[in-house]
Each structure stands twice: as structure tokens, then as C-alpha cells.
């Protein structure tokens, strides 16, 4: 019997302003392994997929979407961008 889980939306289908919107590259992480997904600007609609520092693969949109869902099932997590810390600005003291 097929599962009735709601399919997880892929990050590249989200638009700016959507709840879980993330800028690319999208990084999936599991332990010390990470997989990077980026859009292929040379071939519109295709994506680059790279595991750690291995060779980059060029995949179609459908292949990338299916691979993304498989990686999530295998326990990979989409990494959220790190928030930049703002350094406290020091106010120069006036000398009298």
C-alpha cells in the first residue's frame, strides 16, 4: 500500500518570501558527508549535484528532485544558513 505522506517540497521550488526559502547552494548534510545542489546556469532547468569534493554531476530537474527526496529518506538534512553575527560597534570616546 503506498504511503500517504505529503511530499517534501524541494528548496528550489520556493520563492523569496515563502516560509522555508533558502538561497542556493542548497546543502544536505549527514554526519561528515555533505551534498551540494546548485542550478546549472549553462543548461537551463538542469542542476549540479556534488558529494563532498567529488566530481560534479549535471542532472535534469526530475532526477535532482527524485535524488533530493531519496537523500532526505536516507537521513540527510537540509542545512540552514548560518546567521551572521553583528559585531558590537565601539563608539569612539571623545577626549576633553
Amino acid at each position: 500500500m503506498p504511503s500517504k505522506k505529503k511530499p517534501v517540497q524541494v528548496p528550489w521550488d520556493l520563492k523569496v518570501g515563502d516560509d522555508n526559502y533558502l538561497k542556493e547552494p542548497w546543502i544536505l548534510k549527514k554526519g561528515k558527508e555533505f551534498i551540494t545542489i546548485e542550478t546549472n546556469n549553462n543548461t537551463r532547468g538542469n542542476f549540479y549535484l556534488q558529494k563532498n569534493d567529488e566530481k560534479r554531476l549535471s542532472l535534469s530537474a526530475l532526477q535532482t528532485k527524485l535524488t533530493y527526496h531519496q537523500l532526505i529518506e536516507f537521513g540527510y538534512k537540509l542545512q540552514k544558513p548560518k546567521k551572521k553575527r553583528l559585531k558590537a560597534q565601539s563608539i569612539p570616546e571623545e577626549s576633553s
Side-chain angles (χ1 to χ4, degrees), residues 30-49:
K30 181 180 176 185
K32 292 184 178 182
E33 292 183 355
F34 61 93
I35 296 175
T36 306
I37 301 172
E38 298 175 281
T39 54
N40 179 346
N41 293 329
N42 297 332
T43 311
R44 197 171 193 169
N46 284 1
F47 292 84
Y48 287 124
L49 193 125

Side-chain angles (χ1 to χ4, degrees), residues 44-95:
R44 197 171 193 169
N46 284 1
F47 292 84
Y48 287 124
L49 193 125
Q50 183 176 12
K51 181 178 180 182
N52 299 332
D53 292 322
E54 294 176 11
K55 188 176 177 181
R56 258 186 354 176
L57 299 173
S58 181
L59 301 176
S60 71
L62 179 60
Q63 289 172 314
T64 306
K65 194 174 217 175
L66 294 172
T67 302
Y68 176 84
H69 289 300
Q70 280 186 327
L71 291 168
I72 295 296
E73 285 180 21
F74 290 150
Y76 282 82
K77 303 269 187 224
L78 186 61
Q79 192 172 6
K80 305 285 185 204
K82 294 180 181 175
K83 293 181 181 178
K84 294 181 182 178
R85 289 186 173 191
L86 297 174
K87 292 183 180 180
Q89 293 180 350
S90 59
I91 301 170
E93 295 179 21
E94 291 182 26
S95 56

